[in-house]
Amino acid sequence: MARVLPFAKPSDDQPSVDPSPAAATERALLGDLLVETGALDADVLAEALEQQRLHDQRIGRILLANRSISSEDLSAALSRQSGLGRIDLEASPPDRDLLQDVDPYVCLSLGAVPWRHIGGTRVIAVSNPETAAAAMEALGGGAARVALALAEPDAIRRAITEACKGRLREDASLRCPDEYSCRGWQVASRRGRMMAIAGACVGAVALAPLLALQVVMAWILVVNSLTMGLRLVAIFARFKGGRVPISGAPRLVDFKKLPRVSILVPLLREEAVAGRLLEALEAMDYPPALLDIKLVLEEDDAITRAAIGRADLPPTIEVITVPADGLKTKPRAMNYALPFCEGDIVGVYDAEDRPDPSQIRTVVAHLLAAGPDVACVQGYLDFYNTDRNWLSRCFTLEYAIWFRVILHGVQKLGIPIPLGGTTVFFRRSMLEEIGAWDAHNVTEDADLGMRLARYGYRCEMIQTTTWEEANFRVIPWIKQRSRWLKGYAITWASHMRNPAALWRDLGPRGFWGFQVLFLGAITSYLAMPLFWMIWVSAIGLGLEFWHSFPAPLMIGFLASMLLGQVIMLVTAVIAAIDCQRKGLALWVLALPFYWPLGAVAAYRAVLEAFYAPFYWHKTEHGIDGPAQG
């Protein structure tokens, strides 16, 4: 290991360090230094020390998070305590030649960057003296002499991202392993394949129309029966287990050490909701020193940047700028921001989210008590503008069915859970192990749930709610749903490239559950026109050729349709009761008029899967106001 060379005296241009153990033991406590200089009141320090006893965090971080001191106060005190000089990386940036061969991820994790060579000595800028030894070991570069200096954490991160922008940008798109990613979905080759499939279908219908239709009906009958079975299991699981009441916030003092929690909030053209978002984040009931919130903005999103810039951001919130690229998706942005996170747990919120203030407490308590194979937890989603119109009411019912009933059945069966894109929290080590998000997948959340399962991990549902703005306009609803279904189709195709490997990874139950959840969802929507045709025939409005079909097939098909609708309506009523909105149960009868919109979205999704597989339909937020009360 390189030896440390102290400079003659500390100054802004010549950093210094006293590496001797004796000097380290004689250093004043950081809090005392802040009080001595008048930067901190003694009573405030006493309160912060009590928080440190409870949360096992550095006193400087606690004081910053509480807004008791400024970053300048902390930097000056650390310089006095450690004997290290300070560097202004904005005025005197690092030598770019020194950054050519460094690992940016190591630099980010250490909060350190090689700065300059001065008189044969390599100087390394660090944000925290406690990382000095690790920084010298990792970034010494074989130099005979190494010295240390202090720099602002934000300035160090900016220097790293500026010097390594190309690598960080590329890695964000390619982080997911090739065998699981859909980035190999080449549009040109898929178009030819689509034309071939379409031609084969037309040929089959032309040569044997009745046989082709019978085959389609048989397939739909199988899929619909499996979907009904899943819903029945979900209903029985709900009654068998009883309805678990949502308890109050857990007592975090019961845990000896609480983890830091990072929150990723990807934003794109979110001026309308930026202010309310910041209010919701600041209302979270978790020790501020343990929160690490990243607002993830695209480089060319001047609108949101201006809105955020007008706010007085607390020290717990940092803006991460994602370099522009041909690919602009939410998962790519989160992949880019993940190395900047400091937490052991990483969560995701959307711009319009209003989480329960105690939500992070609930998440942390669950993960601390969960088994080592539980990689993440998924909370409920609900809507604050449910009564906007009939579409928002049906949308709310659909989400209640999915999150409060179906996913509990999925968990009960041991089937991998297709995650939602928000209110989902991961153990960071496991998230990084599997390659984080697939930057090209427009339903990156559902794909991630399957990939975690393939690595042997589990996801669990927790009873905590995040409130969102329901999509209440028809065209935006169709665009959003087409993106989801397109992602489901591509996720299914990506994981089914090697069915034998998928079978080995998920086991028989997981494999067939995957087929029902992904292929079943797409099939149900695509089959709706055929349902309508058969209903028309069943009530005696012509279409006599149906009578030539085998009676068992027709009876099974009609019975499946009727029973499927009954089960769906019962599930919807249960979901309305579980989300404590019994009045929504009356709107269950509107669902048959709601599902046809999904059929339109499904056919659009199939076309886009071949012509624009990675295009992200951005949902506009902030159309309705925030929740009242």
Side-chain angles (χ1 to χ4, degrees):
M1 178 177 172
R3 68 185 182 87
V4 181
L5 176 69
F7 284 83
K9 64 175 182 177
S11 71
D12 287 342
D13 295 322
Q14 286 191 315
S16 69
V17 61
D18 183 349
S20 66
T25 58
E26 294 171 2
R27 289 174 188 155
L29 296 175
L30 185 65
D32 293 340
L33 289 174
L34 289 165
V35 172
E36 288 175 9
T37 58
L40 184 67
D41 185 81
D43 292 338
V44 176
L45 174 61
E47 294 176 7
L49 289 172
E50 177 62 19
Q51 293 176 35
Q52 184 183 43
R53 185 186 67 80
L54 291 174
H55 306 314
D56 192 23
Q57 288 293 304
R58 296 196 302 268
I59 191 66
R61 173 174 286 166
I62 293 173
L63 292 169
L64 273 181
N66 293 345
R67 296 192 177 190
S68 301
I69 60 172
S70 68
S71 59
E72 172 62 25
D73 293 332
L74 177 60
S75 182
L78 285 173
S79 179
R80 288 186 60 195
Q81 182 192 47
S82 64
L84 296 178
R86 298 162 66 190
I87 297 174
D88 183 352
L89 294 183
E90 300 295 331
S92 184
D95 184 342
R96 294 186 69 87
D97 290 338
L98 287 180
L99 297 177
Q100 294 300 313
D101 299 323
V102 300
D103 186 334
Y105 303 109
V106 171
C107 291
L108 289 172
S109 65
L110 292 173
V113 63
W115 180 58
R116 301 279 179 86
H117 274 127
I118 299 178
T121 298
R122 171 173 287 203
V123 182
I124 299 174
V126 297
S127 59
N128 176 17
E130 292 180 10
T131 64
M136 288 189 293
E137 182 72 29
L139 305 175
R145 296 180 299 178
V146 176
L148 298 172
L150 283 175
E152 291 289 337
D154 290 348
I156 289 177
R157 285 193 287 272
R158 282 193 294 270
I160 296 167
T161 54
E162 181 62 29
C164 305
K165 179 186 291 187
R167 177 178 174 184
L168 294 171
R169 177 175 54 205
E170 182 179 4
D171 288 354
S173 296
L174 303 177
R175 187 156 190 169
C176 178
D178 284 336
E179 61 266 33
Y180 302 118
S181 174
C182 68
R183 59 178 168 265
W185 187 277
Q186 299 298 322
V187 173
S189 63
R190 302 290 170 179
R191 284 177 183 168
R193 194 171 300 179
M194 183 184 73
M195 295 299 293
I197 294 172
C201 292
V202 170
V205 172
L207 293 174
L210 293 181
L211 178 60
L213 192 54
Q214 289 177 34
V215 170
V216 170
M217 289 177 61
W219 166 250
I220 294 172
L221 175 59
V222 170
V223 171
N224 195 45
S225 299
L226 291 173
T227 302
M228 284 193 301
L230 177 60
R231 289 172 181 156
L232 284 173
V233 168
I235 293 173
F236 290 145
R238 185 261 188 195
F239 284 107
K240 183 178 180 180
R243 185 167 180 266
V244 181
I246 300 177
S247 60
R251 286 170 41 85
L252 293 183
V253 294
D254 293 340
F255 299 99
K256 293 182 179 179
K257 183 177 179 180
L258 296 175
R260 289 204 80 193
V261 178
S262 292
I263 303 293
L264 294 176
V265 189
L267 304 172
L268 180 63
R269 301 191 302 275
E270 299 289 5
E271 181 183 22
V273 297
R276 299 200 299 268
L277 166 67
L278 294 176
E279 291 175 4
L281 293 175
E282 290 199 66
M284 299 304 291
D285 181 20
Y286 196 68
L290 297 176
L291 279 178
D292 170 43
I293 300 170
K294 309 297 185 186
L295 305 182
V296 188
L297 276 63
E298 295 288 344
E299 187 176 38
D300 56 1
D301 186 6
I303 294 176
T304 309
R305 189 176 308 281
I308 296 297
R310 291 190 292 269
D312 179 21
L313 295 181
T316 54
I317 297 181
E318 179 185 7
V319 175
I320 303 294
T321 300
V322 183
D325 193 7
L327 181 70
K328 186 178 288 187
T329 63
K330 174 183 172 182
R332 171 184 170 268
M334 292 191 293
N335 277 347
Y336 183 87
L338 183 59
F340 295 84
C341 293
E342 300 177 5
D344 301 310
I345 295 172
V346 176
V348 180
Y349 286 136
D350 282 339
E352 76 278 19
D353 285 354
R354 308 288 177 269
D356 284 341
S358 64
Q359 187 167 100
I360 296 180
R361 287 177 173 266
T362 302
V363 167
V364 168
H366 189 101
L367 285 175
L368 288 177
D373 62 334
V374 176
C376 74
V377 292
Q378 170 73 67
Y380 298 154
L381 295 181
D382 209 328
F383 302 101
Y384 54 71
N385 63 332
T386 295
D387 295 331
R388 184 64 168 76
N389 59 18
W390 76 273
L391 187 59
S392 61
R393 290 183 176 94
C394 290
F395 198 47
T396 302
L397 270 174
E398 182 185 15
Y399 264 59
I401 292 169
W402 180 249
F403 282 98
R404 297 178 184 273
V405 182
I406 300 297
L407 288 186
H408 280 289
V410 168
Q411 180 174 310
K412 189 77 172 181
L413 284 171
I415 297 172
I417 294 177
L419 298 173
T422 182
T423 316
V424 57
F425 294 80
F426 304 91
R427 297 186 196 268
R428 180 178 178 175
S429 60
M430 297 175 180
L431 178 63
E432 292 178 330
E433 177 189 347
I434 70 170
W437 294 273
D438 183 356
H440 293 73
N441 196 316
V442 294
T443 50
E444 80 295 337
D445 39 16
D447 164 73
L448 196 56
M450 297 305 109
R451 198 147 31 96
L452 283 166
R454 296 191 70 170
Y455 275 77
Y457 297 124
R458 291 190 301 114
C459 305
E460 293 184 343
M461 298 294 298
I462 57 172
Q463 295 202 30
T464 180
T465 302
T466 294
W467 300 86
E468 291 190 338
E469 179 184 1
N471 202 335
F472 62 91
R473 297 174 298 160
V474 171
I475 299 303
W477 188 99
I478 290 174
K479 289 181 178 180
Q480 183 187 65
R481 186 56 51 94
S482 68
R483 171 169 63 83
W484 294 349
L485 292 173
K486 175 175 66 175
Y488 263 48
I490 292 176
T491 297
W492 179 85
S494 298
H495 285 278
M496 283 294 288
R497 281 176 296 196
N498 188 340
L502 185 64
W503 180 280
R504 288 194 303 270
D505 292 343
L506 299 183
R509 182 179 301 183
F511 180 88
W512 291 116
F514 172 78
Q515 308 303 323
V516 173
L517 289 170
F518 285 82
L519 195 56
I522 301 163
T523 299
S524 297
Y525 280 119
L526 293 176
M528 282 188 181
L530 183 58
F531 278 121
W532 302 332
M533 290 174 62
I534 294 180
W535 274 116
V536 168
S537 176
I539 61 177
L541 298 181
L543 304 179
E544 293 295 331
F545 67 88
W546 293 113
H547 300 304
S548 63
F549 280 23
L553 178 61
M554 289 301 297
I555 293 172
F557 196 88
L558 290 172
S560 173
M561 286 195 298
L562 285 170
L563 187 57
Q565 287 299 310
V566 170
I567 292 174
M568 171 56 73
L569 296 179
V570 170
T571 306
V573 171
I574 292 172
I577 294 172
D578 275 4
C579 68
Q580 300 179 6
R581 295 184 176 190
K582 297 180 181 179
L584 271 182
L586 298 176
W587 288 89
V588 166
L589 298 177
L591 289 176
F593 303 99
Y594 172 77
W595 303 128
L597 294 176
V600 176
Y603 281 94
R604 175 174 177 157
V606 170
L607 291 175
E608 284 194 1
F610 292 96
Y611 285 90
F614 309 138
Y615 178 72
W616 189 283
H617 286 290
K618 173 71 173 65
T619 303
E620 186 178 356
H621 301 128
I623 306 302
D624 264 4
Q628 302 297 317

